[in-house]
């Protein structure tokens, strides 16, 4: 499915009058974009931090905190002339990736939200020895239609996604991410996200060494979020190392995909809204 088809589907489903919630939010849960957005003339920054060392069951490695990490920084701006529209730029050292995105809220009701998001990603790093299974220096487009349903303190998030290029696929990949959030109290939430392995990479075997191969894994993330008036802090555990759509949802990032089994890592997000 092409990005234009996804955009057409989103616009057709949102043909009714748009209604926007009053609260301004950066469209980010753990890794997935949401159907919310910044309002009026607000702007925000997002700081993402992902430890690369696997969390261990003893204190020698401080549960992965002693290892390497990737820290990303992004800025989000609301466009006051177009209600529900925001623009985002983001940079992460993970393959030296730079992204720009346009996010448009289409429907915002207490029980249902919907948005459309188009993101351009550009990796500048190439020819690394630990990515022998993958193409590097990727440039491509992600088109997404985040939708969420809320009720009784529980929110279900579905994010249909089209990626024009991935680490192992030169043609487009269509997939989806799923999320679930439980608002335990006004400021406290538990969240989970699931990133199924796309059908195009279902049969792909990862070459770990000269004698060992394995299938690609599906991805997941679990987290706790604390909210104040202007801050959003999220602590998470995940088996995916990236933060952008083509890193998290492609299923084949760096040619090896998510970590296998219980090899998960820690991370956190920090958002400040002005």
């Amino acid at each position: 499915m092409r990005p234009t088809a996804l955009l057409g589907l989103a616009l057709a489903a949102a043909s009714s009058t748009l209604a926007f919630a009053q609260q301004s939010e950066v469209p980010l849960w753990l890794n997935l974009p949401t159907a919310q957005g910044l309002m009026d003339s607000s702007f925000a920054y997002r700081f993402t931090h992902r430890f690369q060392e696997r969390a261990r069951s003893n204190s020698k490695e401080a549960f992965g905190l002693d290892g390497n990490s990737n820290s990303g920084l992004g800025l989000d701006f609301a466009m006051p002339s177009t209600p529900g529209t925001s623009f985002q730029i983001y940079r992460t050292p993970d393959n030296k990736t730079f992204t720009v995105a346009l996010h448009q809220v289409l429907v915002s009701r207490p029980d249902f939200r919907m948005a459309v998001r188009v993101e351009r990603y550009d990796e500048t790093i190439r020819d690394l020895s630990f990515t022998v299974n993958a193409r590097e220096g990727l440039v491509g487009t992600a088109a997404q239609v985040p939708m969420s349903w809320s009720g009784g303190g529980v929110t279900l998030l579905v994010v249909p996604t089209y990626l024009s290029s991935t680490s192992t696929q030169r043609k487009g990949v269509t997939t989806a991410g799923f999320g679930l959030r439980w608002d335990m109290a006004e400021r406290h939430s538990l969240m989970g996200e699931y990133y199924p392995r796309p059908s195009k990479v279902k049969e792909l075997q990862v070459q770990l060494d000269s004698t060992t191969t394995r299938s690609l894994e599906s991805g997941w993330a679990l987290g706790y979020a604390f909210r104040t008036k202007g801050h959003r802090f999220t602590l998470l555990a995940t088996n995916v190392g990236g933060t952008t759509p083509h890193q998290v949802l492609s299923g084949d990032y760096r040619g090896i995909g998510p970590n296998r089994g219980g090899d998960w890592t820690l991370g956190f997000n920090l958002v400040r809204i002005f």
Side-chain angles (χ1 to χ4, degrees):
M1 183 180 292
R2 296 183 177 277
T4 52
L6 281 174
L7 291 172
L9 176 63
L11 294 172
S15 57
S16 58
T17 302
L18 305 183
F20 296 103
Q22 296 300 315
Q23 188 175 21
S24 188
E25 286 285 350
V26 169
L28 174 68
W29 269 11
L30 303 176
N31 289 309
L32 291 176
T34 71
Q36 294 176 291
L38 293 175
M39 308 302 297
D40 300 325
S41 300
S42 59
F43 70 96
Y45 70 77
R46 59 174 76 190
F47 178 77
T48 62
H49 192 89
R50 299 293 184 269
F51 294 98
Q52 302 302 299
E53 181 68 29
R54 311 295 189 265
R56 307 296 183 184
S57 59
N58 58 69
S59 60
K60 283 187 177 181
E61 294 85 12
F63 302 98
L65 304 186
D66 286 343
N68 296 326
S69 62
N70 288 323
S71 296
L73 182 64
L75 296 174
D76 291 69
F77 306 89
M79 297 183 178
S81 60
T82 310
T85 303
S86 58
F87 176 77
Q88 179 221 318
I89 56 176
Y90 176 76
R91 171 61 161 78
T92 170
D94 192 348
N95 270 13
K96 298 187 184 299
T97 301
F98 181 80
T99 68
V100 292
L102 188 66
H103 187 92
Q104 175 65 59
V105 176
L106 300 177
V107 180
S108 184
R109 303 196 306 260
D111 60 335
F112 176 70
R113 300 175 188 270
M114 184 178 185
V116 63
R117 181 182 182 86
V118 178
E119 181 170 311
R120 185 70 171 174
Y121 49 88
D122 186 352
E123 297 179 7
T124 61
I125 201 165
R126 299 173 184 270
D127 302 324
L128 293 178
S129 59
F130 57 80
T131 58
V132 294
N133 301 309
R135 295 184 298 119
E136 295 158 333
L138 290 177
V139 177
T141 302
Q144 300 178 283
V145 186
M147 296 176 286
S148 63
W149 294 262
S150 301
V154 176
T155 300
L156 172 66
L157 175 68
V158 180
V159 188
T161 299
Y162 172 84
L163 302 170
S164 66
S165 181
T166 75
S167 294
T168 65
Q169 304 297 308
R170 295 184 181 275
K171 295 184 179 180
V173 172
T174 301
T175 185
F178 302 88
L180 188 67
R181 185 184 73 194
W182 174 35
D183 295 325
M184 301 178 294
E186 182 180 359
R187 296 185 176 183
H188 305 271
S189 300
L190 292 179
M191 291 183 287
E193 294 180 353
Y194 177 65
Y195 324 115
R197 182 179 53 188
S199 59
K200 278 197 174 183
V201 299
K202 185 176 182 180
E203 305 301 327
L204 186 65
Q205 292 292 307
V206 175
Q207 188 74 37
L208 299 180
D209 53 46
S210 58
T211 61
T212 307
T213 62
R214 69 168 172 85
S215 300
L216 292 173
E217 304 278 340
S218 295
W220 58 268
L222 297 173
Y224 159 76
F226 175 74
R227 300 183 298 275
T228 66
K229 182 178 181 180
H231 290 86
R232 310 289 184 266
F233 179 77
T234 306
L235 178 66
L236 60 97
T238 181
N239 72 335
V240 299
T243 52
T244 69
H246 82 286
Q247 294 170 348
V248 173
L249 293 171
S250 65
D252 65 354
Y253 185 57
R254 290 187 172 179
I256 58 176
N259 301 334
R260 65 181 309 178
D263 287 340
W264 50 275
T265 59
L266 294 171
F268 64 85
N269 298 333
L270 177 62
V271 171
R272 177 68 170 97
I273 303 174
F274 298 90

